[in-house]
Amino acid sequence: MAGLTHFDAKGAAQMVDVSEKPATARRAVARGWVAMAPETLALVTGGTAAKGDVLGVARLAGIMAAKRTAGLIPLCHPLALSKVAVDLAPGADRVEIEATVATTGPTGVEMEALTAVSVAALTVYDMLKAVDRGMVIGGIHLTLKEGGKSGRYEAR
């Protein structure tokens, strides 16, 4: 289990001790999408979905999810987030989702950004499933991580 910090020497799951790590500015960006039929996307762009403002509700759901990540992912540290921004934009055949999360602390916010995108995507699906059960959620990935000992990571 060398290199996997969430396991102890015996292979048991553990929460990483970050008490000795310095607080630094940290930021993470994640992206994903929900692909759908053109008619479904037209409901989103036209603001005519039966459940209301799909993008607005999904944005709020993503923000709320980022703030609750430690309650969803067992070994995540609860963090005081200084920024959570979730942007949703209609594309050619999908809704594109991007979440940016920031904090100053001893551990990063990658999981918070990924959780925000995931829950925003699930919310889009939930709000539109009555008209399009064939929607596909995908592409959820970390695109940027800044701060901390390991420095900057940027997806290619």
Side-chain angles (χ1 to χ4, degrees), residues 94-122:
R94 62 186 64 191
V95 172
E96 301 281 346
I97 306 166
E98 180 178 275
T100 302
V101 181
T103 192
T104 298
T107 190
V109 288
E110 298 92 342
M111 295 307 300
E112 287 74 9
L114 289 163
T115 299
V117 169
S118 299
V119 171
L122 289 168

Side-chain angles (χ1 to χ4, degrees), residues 71-99:
L72 298 169
I73 310 295
L75 302 177
C76 279
H77 293 84
L79 300 174
L81 303 179
S82 54
K83 175 184 181 174
V84 179
V86 178
D87 297 310
L88 295 98
D93 64 345
R94 62 186 64 191
V95 172
E96 301 281 346
I97 306 166
E98 180 178 275

Side-chain angles (χ1 to χ4, degrees), residues 32-37 40-41 88-89 91 93-97 117-118 120-126 128 132 134-140:
W33 46 261
V34 182
M36 60 193 67
T40 308
L41 190 58
L88 295 98
D93 64 345
R94 62 186 64 191
V95 172
E96 301 281 346
I97 306 166
V117 169
S118 299
L122 289 168
T123 301
V124 169
Y125 187 95
D126 178 57
L128 298 168
D132 187 356
M135 289 178 285
V136 176
I137 295 171
I140 298 173

Side-chain angles (χ1 to χ4, degrees), residues 27 39 51 53 56 64 70 82 91 98 101 104 117 119 134 144 146-147:
R27 184 170 73 106
E39 301 80 22
K51 288 189 176 181
D53 179 7
M64 291 173 66
S82 54
E98 180 178 275
V101 181
T104 298
V117 169
V119 171
L144 178 71
E146 294 178 318

